[in-house]
Amino acid sequence: MFYNLRCRMSLLSLEDVEFYKTLLKRKTKNAVMYAGVLQPIAEDSNYLLEYIKNLFPEYPSHNIQHSYRILNYLSSVLSQKNIEDLSDTELFCLIMAALFHDTGMALYNDDDNVDEIRRKHHKYAKKVIEKYFEENLEILQYGTRLKDAIIFACESHGETINEVYDSDTYIKRDMIEGDRIRYSVLSSFLRIGDLLDLDSNRVNRFVLLAFSKNFAKISLAHNNRHLHVENYYHDSAEINIEVTADNVEEYQIWSLWFES
């Protein structure tokens, strides 16, 4: 008997992320500190992100692999000059935003409305980040200012592009010990990386086949759309994506996605 086995992509780690590699290469005081604290932070966010499946078992994966892919997709469409242009603090904030942008989906109790959490999860991430800085990141001297930049990036990924551009915070800039922090760069980069994570590895085909009859209509559309990417090419000069939509729900999801 022959078995048709689907080759699965190997799991990513923080060390596979180009932005983290860039921090490791730098020997500045900030870079060394950020690179060190990111290791336990990634482990903590991994545990937290696993809880999302408890509330949203039907949705495509929002685990830490999604966070790492966001960063890797983003680095693949940036030139090396663009990456090197990021300050140590911007690299840290960008990685943190990728790790925490979906954590709001893990915040719930029996009285919460599931649809409301899904719809506003980008806002709920603020609660997680504030609590995490309070409990775990007192070591960071400028924690409040770092936290504000990370929260804005996380909140921006769930807003419309016009809402982001119209925000006064979008053009805010800060500087910590000579490191600039551009809120516009952080929020725009996170949105781009998140939008690029379209591949079918976010969907388990077996689970979809076995249990799709129990999926809500919108959940099924979110899963199926990942299987309907016809062509997908990206580099530092071009992003080209071609998709099909089998129904109105998928069309609406794709339309909102590309408008972002």
Side-chain angles (χ1 to χ4, degrees):
M1 181 179 294
F2 292 93
Y3 295 90
N4 183 18
L5 300 179
R6 182 165 63 95
C7 179
R8 296 187 64 84
M9 295 178 64
S10 59
L11 295 179
L12 298 170
S13 68
L14 185 60
E15 288 78 9
D16 297 315
V17 174
E18 186 64 33
F19 299 109
Y20 185 70
K21 292 179 183 178
T22 301
L23 268 181
L24 288 175
K25 292 175 185 175
R26 297 179 180 178
K27 303 306 178 184
T28 62
K29 171 187 170 184
N30 283 340
V32 172
M33 176 183 63
Y34 292 143
V37 298
L38 277 169
Q39 284 285 354
I41 291 173
E43 293 178 10
D44 288 339
S45 65
N46 181 35
Y47 279 110
L48 184 58
L49 290 168
E50 288 177 354
Y51 279 94
I52 294 175
K53 271 296 181 184
N54 293 339
L55 187 60
F56 302 96
E58 299 177 0
Y59 270 84
S61 171
H62 288 79
N63 60 18
I64 200 168
Q65 293 300 303
H66 169 53
S67 299
Y68 290 151
R69 287 196 303 270
I70 282 176
L71 294 167
N72 278 351
Y73 278 126
L74 177 59
S75 64
S76 72
V77 299
L78 295 178
S79 68
Q80 190 59 39
K81 183 179 182 299
N82 291 145
I83 296 175
E84 292 297 336
D85 187 54
L86 293 169
S87 70
D88 298 339
T89 303
E90 286 177 328
L91 286 169
F92 172 74
C93 290
L94 181 60
I95 295 171
M96 285 288 290
L99 292 175
F100 282 88
H101 76 288
D102 281 332
T103 55
M105 293 176 68
L107 281 187
Y108 68 96
N109 56 52
D110 293 338
D111 298 324
D112 287 327
N113 182 292
V114 174
D115 291 335
E116 183 77 359
I117 293 173
R118 176 69 185 95
R119 188 165 54 252
K120 295 185 177 180
H121 75 282
H122 57 292
K123 294 292 187 182
Y124 293 142
K126 178 179 180 179
K127 298 181 181 179
V128 182
I129 296 167
E130 287 180 337
K131 186 66 174 176
Y132 195 83
F133 267 81
E134 178 186 337
E135 299 289 339
N136 296 80
L137 294 180
E138 292 183 353
I139 188 175
L140 298 179
Q141 183 179 358
Y142 303 97
T144 299
R145 289 157 66 188
L146 295 170
K147 178 182 62 180
D148 289 346
I150 296 165
I151 288 173
F152 179 75
C154 290
E155 290 182 336
S156 295
H157 96 277
E159 304 287 351
T160 67
I161 194 65
N162 287 333
E163 288 173 332
V164 175
Y165 287 164
D166 290 343
S167 169
D168 292 337
T169 310
Y170 182 73
I171 59 174
K172 182 177 178 179
R173 295 179 295 175
D174 196 0
M175 188 165 284
I176 294 178
E177 293 189 348
D179 274 4
R180 63 184 176 180
I181 306 175
R182 295 162 292 175
Y183 281 51
S184 57
V185 170
L186 296 176
S187 59
S188 297
F189 279 10
L190 181 66
R191 288 175 67 90
I192 292 169
D194 193 31
L195 292 170
L196 287 173
D197 192 15
L198 298 175
D199 284 347
S200 60
N201 54 21
R202 291 194 68 185
V203 178
N204 187 293
R205 292 173 185 266
F206 173 74
V207 172
L208 189 59
L209 178 65
F211 300 105
S212 61
K213 64 181 181 180
N214 300 319
F215 281 26
K217 195 173 184 180
I218 189 65
S219 299
L220 189 60
H222 271 280
N223 280 276
N224 281 332
R225 75 186 179 98
H226 286 283
L227 306 179
H228 296 159
V229 177
E230 300 294 332
N231 187 64
Y232 184 17
Y233 179 81
H234 52 84
D235 59 25
S236 59
E238 175 187 3
I239 297 177
N240 182 47
I241 304 171
E242 296 178 15
V243 302
T244 58
D246 280 359
N247 50 54
V248 173
E249 286 76 18
E250 283 187 37
Y251 177 81
Q252 291 174 336
I253 293 171
W254 280 125
S255 296
L256 289 172
W257 199 256
F258 290 128
E259 285 174 6
S260 299

